Amino acid sequence: MSRMDVCVVACAELFRGDGEILASPMGPVPSLGARLARRTFEPDLVLSDGEATLLTADGQPEGWLPYRAVFDVVAHGRRHVVMGANQIDRYGNQNISCIGPHQAPKRQLLGVRGAPGNTVNHRTSYWVPKHSPRVFVPAVDVVSGVGYDRDGGPFHDVYRVVTNLCVLDFGGPGHAMRVVSVHQGVTVDEVVEQTGFPLAIDDPPVTREPTAEELAVLRELDPAR
Amino acid sequence: MDKRMTADEVVSTLSDGMTIGIGGWGSRRKPMALVRAILRSGLKDLTVVSYGGPDLGLLCAAGKVRKAVYGFVSLDSIPYDPYFRRARESGAIEVREFDEGMLQTGLRAAAHRLPFLPIRAGLGSDVLTNDPSLRTVRSPYEDGEELVAMPALHLDVALVHLNRADRRGNARYLGPDPYFDDLFCLAADKRYVSCESIVDDIADGGPPQTLLLNRMMVDGVVATPHGAHFTSCVPDYGRDEKFQETYAEGEWESFADRYLSGDEAAYQKAVA
């Protein structure tokens, strides 16, 4: 069992209880996590091939979801997206647009993409592969995904952040970021050191490890791992 | 009516300062032969509206863009386009950056001849603060919810690439996703579709629901075999990943010199 397995399981856990909704994991670790969740405790999750086709757990087409239909699902709300974040702050504001002022960026990134719409329409989580003060900043340069200290409207629901070190949520005072669990082999001090703002910390447990069954499923889903 | 044209004839109808919508998505089914024809022209100061990929990157690299209107710019398998980045980081272009659903809503408003359409996306984000021209609107019904009043994104011209078309402008996509090509056409005054091939009988070759564009939506049809290269145009061909990597190295002078100094036939020969 590796640290990456723990991260994949933590990403799978994001979808626990979601039921029959569209899981939209961005990137390989959240994707593997979503597929693991569907194969184990969340069998009704709906997943696409990354383009316009919905696939069953056996890889058979079961639906058509071109981008225009994805936008409908976003507005309809039956979706849980796991996005990346070039920057994220204490209240869950996320930036994927650019570094520096938007009028004169130091580094252009993707653009806000679907982050503004996702975060005001349905549950949103984040995956950060390298937890560092460069990502966990006191204030993001461009609010792409909306956090708890802004008015995200009636459907705003930023759930959790999974990183290579820990799992976080927004259960601290005033929806501030809180440590939910710390991965095996990581200390709370390390998490604090790699975070550019104060975290709510209340003796967090160790992130759960993959079960034997989950490891077997992971070997099947990702033989190259 | 026979609407067949050449790519250069399409470009000859364009003028400096126009707002041009480009179909496709990221590095997928982009009307690259039409983009390359713009690169060969003297056009400048364009406003380009796009789910951005190398279309926007190339036009920025060639100094054709005054303003970019987009939700993202990405090469899909490579996250960032080097030339769009450079244009942004050097301050060479203005931008309007929207949530990708806002972009669709703005095109839809233009297509429906409405001044705006409401959408929830954008609320609370810096999309609104970075573009002070954007306004919100309050629901006149009991809920009284505040929503973004997404302004119509009216296009002078739409450029899209589909798999097949007939000479009258009916056009078919064969891949998994229509993207927003029909919406781009409905939002534009003039609509030009390039395609892999022009067929005599468009009824052959797929079910009617794959006929994304009908001739009311199209002013000109251009046969540009391999014309989406190096973006994907499945099932005719996938993305040319190796070539895209060369593009993404960001060596504009040598790239332009090697691939863009001649016409489309020379380009196709150079990339074959």
Side-chain angles (χ1 to χ4, degrees):
Chain A
M1 188 217 44
S2 69
R3 172 73 61 81
M4 209 34 78
D5 294 335
V6 171
C7 292
V8 169
V9 169
C11 284
E13 283 290 340
L14 295 172
F15 299 104
R16 190 181 286 275
D18 277 354
E20 203 160 42
I21 62 146
L22 179 66
S24 294
M26 309 288 164
V29 171
S31 296
L32 203 49
R35 290 165 70 205
L36 176 64
R38 179 162 70 172
R39 281 285 299 271
T40 55
F41 54 82
E42 219 37 66
D44 292 336
L45 284 181
V46 177
L47 279 164
S48 87
D49 64 351
E51 294 205 24
T53 306
L54 299 174
L55 297 181
T56 66
D58 301 327
Q60 295 302 310
E62 63 165 333
W64 184 53
L65 206 72
Y67 281 113
R68 59 184 65 198
V70 174
F71 291 1
D72 286 340
V73 177
V74 170
H76 186 67
R78 291 184 74 94
R79 184 170 185 247
H80 184 168
V81 70
V82 183
M83 288 188 283
N86 299 92
Q87 294 178 322
I88 190 165
D89 73 15
R90 190 179 183 188
Y91 296 103
N93 295 292
Q94 165 247 31
N95 177 20
I96 50 172
S97 172
C98 67
I99 300 299
H102 197 259
Q103 292 70 22
K106 223 161 41 185
R107 289 292 272 166
Q108 174 64 35
L109 304 169
L110 270 184
V112 295
R113 196 140 204 189
N118 292 340
T119 45
V120 299
N121 277 302
H122 55 66
R123 178 163 279 196
T124 300
S125 295
Y126 295 103
W127 157 245
V128 176
K130 195 172 185 306
H131 192 136
S132 82
R134 285 168 59 100
V135 178
F136 288 80
V137 293
V140 304
D141 293 338
V142 179
V143 175
S144 312
V146 180
Y148 281 100
D149 59 343
R150 291 174 163 235
D151 187 2
F155 306 113
H156 183 252
D157 178 14
V158 182
Y159 182 50
R160 283 183 175 179
V161 183
V162 177
T163 81
N164 60 321
L165 301 182
C166 64
V167 179
L168 305 139
D169 71 4
F170 297 90
H175 288 292
M177 199 182 278
R178 172 178 73 170
V179 182
V180 172
S181 66
V182 174
H183 302 338
Q184 182 69 257
V186 179
T187 64
V188 172
D189 285 352
E190 213 175 316
V191 172
V192 168
E193 206 170 285
Q194 295 301 323
T195 305
F197 50 81
L199 289 164
I201 300 168
D202 181 19
D203 196 18
V206 174
T207 309
R208 90 166 172 85
E209 292 183 2
T211 64
E213 185 206 354
E214 285 170 337
L215 286 173
V217 173
L218 280 178
R219 269 192 294 274
E220 201 189 310
L221 291 177
D222 185 21
R225 115 207 136 82
Chain B
M1 199 197 321
D2 189 340
K3 296 175 184 167
R4 285 176 296 174
M5 303 171 78
T6 67
D8 290 331
E9 282 168 352
V10 168
V11 171
S12 73
T13 71
L14 311 181
S15 46
D16 293 352
M18 270 189 171
T19 296
I20 299 184
I22 301 180
W25 174 281
S27 189
R28 304 177 201 182
R29 223 180 68 229
K30 287 286 178 178
M32 298 295 276
L34 299 181
V35 168
R36 286 187 284 269
I38 294 176
L39 299 180
R40 290 193 298 272
S41 76
L43 282 171
K44 58 181 194 303
D45 294 332
L46 300 175
T47 292
V48 178
V49 181
S50 177
Y51 288 100
D55 51 335
L56 200 41
L58 282 166
L59 292 169
C60 284
K64 301 294 187 190
V65 180
R66 184 177 66 79
K67 188 192 267 190
V69 181
Y70 60 92
F72 60 84
V73 181
S74 174
L75 303 176
D76 293 325
S77 49
I78 298 170
Y80 305 124
D81 182 288
Y83 303 109
F84 175 70
R85 273 194 111 150
R86 206 168 293 165
R88 278 287 276 146
E89 291 163 15
S90 67
I93 57 169
E94 291 170 46
V95 301
R96 289 187 95 182
E97 186 174 302
F98 295 116
D99 169 88
E100 58 198 25
M102 290 174 75
L103 196 66
Q104 178 201 31
T105 300
L107 291 171
R108 183 173 286 150
H112 293 189
R113 302 180 298 174
L114 291 167
F116 71 91
L117 276 170
I119 184 169
R120 204 170 269 118
L123 292 171
S125 78
D126 278 343
V127 169
L128 298 190
T129 41
N130 287 330
D131 187 340
S133 74
L134 293 173
R135 296 284 182 270
T136 61
V137 65
R138 198 166 287 283
S139 164
Y141 298 105
E142 256 172 46
D143 57 277
E145 188 178 348
E146 189 182 24
L147 299 160
V148 173
M150 179 63 204
L153 294 174
H154 182 262
L155 309 174
D156 293 313
V157 176
L159 305 176
V160 301
H161 185 82
L162 272 77
N163 300 86
R164 304 286 179 272
D166 67 15
R167 63 188 64 187
R168 298 188 298 171
N170 300 301
R172 163 172 280 134
Y173 76 107
L174 296 170
D177 199 319
Y179 309 119
F180 298 91
D181 290 3
D182 45 350
L183 199 51
F184 275 93
C185 288
L186 291 170
D189 289 338
K190 290 287 177 188
R191 300 75 45 93
Y192 299 105
V193 52
S194 60
C195 62
E196 290 301 309
S197 63
I198 294 176
V199 297
D200 288 331
D201 188 359
I202 195 75
D204 277 350
Q209 63 268 31
T210 59
L211 289 164
L212 185 67
L213 306 180
N214 62 63
R215 57 196 168 84
M216 289 186 290
M217 302 160 72
V218 174
D219 296 287
V221 182
V222 187
T224 57
H226 214 226
H229 183 271
F230 50 94
T231 71
S232 69
C233 189
V234 288
D236 293 313
Y237 45 88
R239 185 182 300 125
D240 187 342
E241 297 287 359
K242 207 167 149 68
F243 187 87
Q244 177 161 284
E245 282 168 29
T246 305
Y247 167 80
E249 284 167 8
E251 303 291 337
W252 178 245
E253 296 293 325
S254 60
F255 181 87
D257 185 54
R258 180 155 177 206
Y259 298 109
L260 301 170
S261 52
D263 61 9
E264 179 68 12
Y267 175 86
Q268 293 295 348
K269 196 165 165 224
V271 303

